[in-house]
Amino acid sequence: MKKLSIILIVQNDEATIRQVIRSTRCLNPHEVIVLAKQSMDGSVLIAKEEGCIVKIENGEETAHELRMKITRMCKGDAFLYLDSDYMISEKQVKQFVQPLLFSHCDVVLNKWDEAFQHDFGRFEVMWSRVLHDMCNKPHYTNAYLSPPYAFTKEVYSQLSSAACTNPLALFVELQTNSFRTSHHLSITTFGEGKFAPGAFENKRAEYKERYKELLDNYIAKTEAVSKAMNRTDAYQPYENISKGWGKLSSFYKGKQLSVVIPVKNEVKTLQEVIKEVRKLEPLEVIVIVNGSTDESEQIAKNMGAKTIVYKNALGHDVGRTIGAEVAKGDIILFVDGDFSIKAYDLYPFARAIADGLDVALNKSEDEKSLSHSVQAWKFLLNEMNDRGDLWMSSLTAVPHAISKQAINKIGAHILSSPPMAMLKCFQNQLSIASVHDVNVNKQNRFRFHEYLPTNVINSTAELIIKEYMRAFYLS
């Protein structure tokens, strides 16, 4: 069995440190090293009474930097990192570290069983998921590496200087090197320990800065993301337009509505889609037939839609740009042709624009969606632009509505890349809100959960993620 060194960072933890130290005695540690950081209470005295090696540190180094620094002084073959302000039971701490001590693995990380049902937890889960995807690893652990975690002396000897100063860099090295990693046990730590008003807000700012720095470095190296994506040249000019019919409506405070529906082989659903949007009294229904080989074009024309036909398929979401450019209404409502949404679920989006909003989004606040990679990128783009209140709402999902005035500001061409369009909306300080909840995941043929992790996603999901990366990098 390996000799174990236990490392504790202490800062005014006299209420808990004795119990924490005693809970580790079942491991027969070779040493327990306590590093007291600006501790003004009796923590140091208690640690000495319990037979620990005590070091005093009054500098400005972070807890992670101190853990890695003190590890250099340890004499064990394996290192276990714990917090001193909350208890982990003897049984749990023993189960947690045993695989490492008996050489069944090189690294032990704390397993996350489910998404946290609170604001900071959601924030942390999203960042962690994206970082796991970056490493092409399943999302099992907290990427910020909050204790407990453990690894061998051999692992420590291979860490870079960056890993010893940044917990995220440490996580990446633990994931991408050939270390044997175990995440066999879940130990609840969030919300344990001392309560400090404002601590989560301070952590959030720190995490945001560190995560973005790391992801920016990764994204900058991703050639497919760094290249500009201009997919709007392919559809000029409009060669095949059939005029449809519409009506002037009194629903929208004197404004008029255009509905844009991109379709590709939607013969089974298109008629019902147009039937529902007609109830909204649109000035026009614009159907962009995007390389269809079925009867979608004829259905659109028979239903009185303005029909724009492209025999060859255009890029993903280019139909939105086309529809926005030809639309004459003051309000542009975007839906898809592959599933029908009732008029009463579409009306709130158009009405919000009539009431003065620039962008009306579909609400996406389902906690179960936290496990989806694409949803994580949506959340983080909002977060990085100080709109965490939007959760995972985005221009990627339909239905949504935009004022014609707002489209003129950001440029209709940008709508073919919804993440970039979202960024432009933020940069132009447009008024944006998620106004109504329509569960499209149950209806849409594209299912995010079928394409995880990123190394097995299909080309459409991969394109969406890369566009989010580009928008994220430019934000």
Side-chain angles (χ1 to χ4, degrees):
M1 190 172 76
K2 288 182 168 63
K3 292 189 298 184
L4 179 66
S5 295
I6 297 175
I7 296 97
L8 291 170
I9 305 294
V10 176
Q11 189 171 20
N12 298 325
D13 296 325
E14 64 179 4
T16 54
I17 186 172
R18 193 184 302 274
Q19 297 96 309
V20 172
I21 294 169
R22 290 182 177 181
S23 72
T24 66
R25 286 180 179 166
C26 62
L27 301 173
N28 297 315
H30 180 72
E31 59 189 352
V32 178
I33 299 182
V34 171
L35 196 152
K37 180 183 179 184
Q38 299 173 349
S39 205
M40 305 299 291
D41 65 358
S43 299
V44 170
L45 179 60
I46 293 171
K48 290 179 178 179
E49 290 174 352
E50 294 296 326
C52 301
I53 301 169
V54 178
K55 304 290 183 180
I56 306 297
E57 178 62 54
N58 293 315
E60 297 299 322
E61 291 173 294
T62 66
H64 176 75
E65 289 170 334
L66 291 174
R67 290 187 187 104
M68 296 299 103
K69 178 180 177 180
I70 205 70
T71 303
R72 291 199 298 268
M73 308 175 190
C74 294
K75 298 178 181 179
D77 306 311
F79 313 117
L80 171 63
Y81 303 91
L82 297 174
D83 272 343
S84 59
D85 64 340
Y86 58 86
M87 277 283 298
I88 299 175
S89 71
E90 286 189 19
K91 180 180 178 180
Q92 282 187 314
V93 76
K94 192 171 184 178
Q95 288 178 334
F96 183 78
V97 79
Q98 270 186 335
L100 190 73
L101 297 181
F102 289 95
S103 301
H104 298 306
C105 63
D106 305 310
V107 180
V108 180
L109 302 178
N110 191 14
K111 181 180 180 181
W112 273 0
D113 276 345
E114 58 185 21
F116 294 117
Q117 304 287 323
H118 50 76
D119 192 45
F120 183 80
R122 184 183 311 110
F123 166 86
E124 200 170 19
V125 167
M126 289 300 198
W127 277 112
S128 187
R129 163 152 293 285
V130 166
L131 201 59
H132 278 79
D133 285 344
M134 186 187 86
C135 299
N136 281 326
K137 297 291 184 180
H139 187 215
Y140 288 132
T141 61
N142 174 359
Y144 211 81
L145 291 185
S146 300
Y149 60 91
F151 47 72
T152 65
K153 186 175 183 178
E154 290 74 18
V155 169
Y156 180 75
S157 67
Q158 296 181 49
L159 298 178
S160 68
S161 58
C164 290
T165 57
N166 186 336
L168 296 175
L170 172 60
F171 167 80
V172 171
E173 292 193 21
L174 294 180
Q175 292 291 336
T176 55
N177 290 346
S178 56
F179 304 131
R180 297 171 301 158
T181 302
S182 175
H183 30 70
H184 62 282
L185 185 65
S186 178
I187 299 176
T188 300
T189 61
F190 193 91
E192 301 297 325
K194 298 188 296 289
F195 173 73
F200 291 164
E201 290 76 8
N202 294 336
K203 274 189 177 182
R204 190 165 185 159
E206 175 195 346
Y207 283 25
K208 183 187 292 189
E209 181 181 351
R210 285 187 179 272
Y211 273 113
K212 189 173 190 307
E213 179 183 2
L214 193 69
L215 286 176
D216 278 351
N217 291 335
Y218 167 73
I219 293 169
K221 297 175 185 177
T222 306
E223 183 179 357
V225 175
S226 61
K227 291 181 179 179
M229 300 183 209
N230 185 357
R231 295 172 292 145
T232 59
D233 295 337
Y235 61 81
Q236 297 290 351
Y238 309 122
E239 295 180 350
N240 189 352
I241 302 180
S242 300
K243 293 183 179 180
W245 52 266
K247 65 180 297 184
L248 295 175
S249 176
S250 60
F251 287 174
Y252 310 106
K253 298 184 176 180
K255 299 176 182 177
Q256 299 303 319
L257 174 67
S258 295
V259 181
V260 174
I261 313 173
V263 302
K264 183 178 181 180
N265 296 330
E266 317 294 2
V267 67
K268 294 181 179 179
T269 55
L270 183 56
Q271 184 169 334
E272 187 63 27
V273 172
I274 298 175
K275 176 183 174 183
E276 285 300 315
V277 301
R278 281 287 178 208
K279 297 176 183 178
L280 301 174
E281 296 190 356
L283 178 69
E284 57 190 352
V285 176
I286 304 168
V287 173
I288 299 91
V289 181
N290 185 9
S292 288
T293 56
D294 63 5
E295 302 301 318
S296 296
E297 175 185 350
Q298 195 57 48
I299 290 174
K301 291 177 178 178
N302 291 343
M303 296 288 291
K306 178 185 291 186
T307 308
I308 306 173
V309 180
Y310 291 89
K311 296 300 182 184
N312 297 317
L314 305 171
H316 187 65
D317 287 329
V318 173
R320 297 185 186 182
T321 287
I322 299 166
E325 287 191 343
V326 302
K328 296 179 180 178
D330 309 292
I331 304 165
I332 318 297
L333 174 65
F334 296 89
V335 299
D336 278 350
D338 56 354
F339 59 92
S340 176
I341 301 171
K342 295 297 183 182
Y344 56 76
D345 274 328
L346 294 172
Y347 177 71
F349 299 93
R351 181 67 190 209
I353 304 301
D355 289 339
L357 198 66
D358 292 316
V359 182
L361 301 175
N362 188 7
K363 285 185 179 180
S364 184
E365 301 180 358
D366 182 7
E367 293 289 346
K368 294 179 182 178
S369 298
L370 294 176
S371 61
H372 298 158
S373 296
V374 176
Q375 297 292 70
W377 280 103
K378 293 178 183 179
F379 178 90
L380 293 181
L381 184 62
N382 293 339
E383 178 69 34
M384 287 309 301
N385 288 276
D386 298 320
R387 289 303 307 268
D389 60 295
L390 294 175
W391 288 44
M392 296 157 282
S393 299
S394 73
L395 287 171
T396 302
V398 293
H400 61 260
I402 312 176
S403 71
K404 185 68 171 180
Q405 186 178 13
I407 289 175
N408 291 337
K409 282 186 179 180
I410 65 175
H413 68 282
I414 204 71
L415 296 177
S416 61
S417 174
M420 288 300 296
M422 196 76 178
L423 178 61
K424 282 288 186 182
C425 290
F426 291 138
Q427 292 174 339
N428 281 273
Q429 298 182 328
L430 300 182
S431 57
I432 310 169
S434 50
V435 300
H436 187 59
D437 182 9
V438 180
N439 190 344
V440 297
N441 288 333
K442 290 183 178 180
Q443 305 178 68
N444 201 335
R445 289 185 301 181
F446 175 64
R447 302 286 196 270
F448 291 126
H449 66 271
E450 294 175 0
Y451 309 115
L452 300 176
T454 52
N455 60 336
V456 295
I457 61 175
N458 75 347
S459 57
T460 300
E462 185 177 12
L463 173 63
I464 293 172
I465 290 172
K466 286 179 178 177
E467 288 184 343
Y468 269 100
M469 285 184 180
R470 188 164 70 102
F472 182 91
Y473 185 68
L474 295 173
S475 65

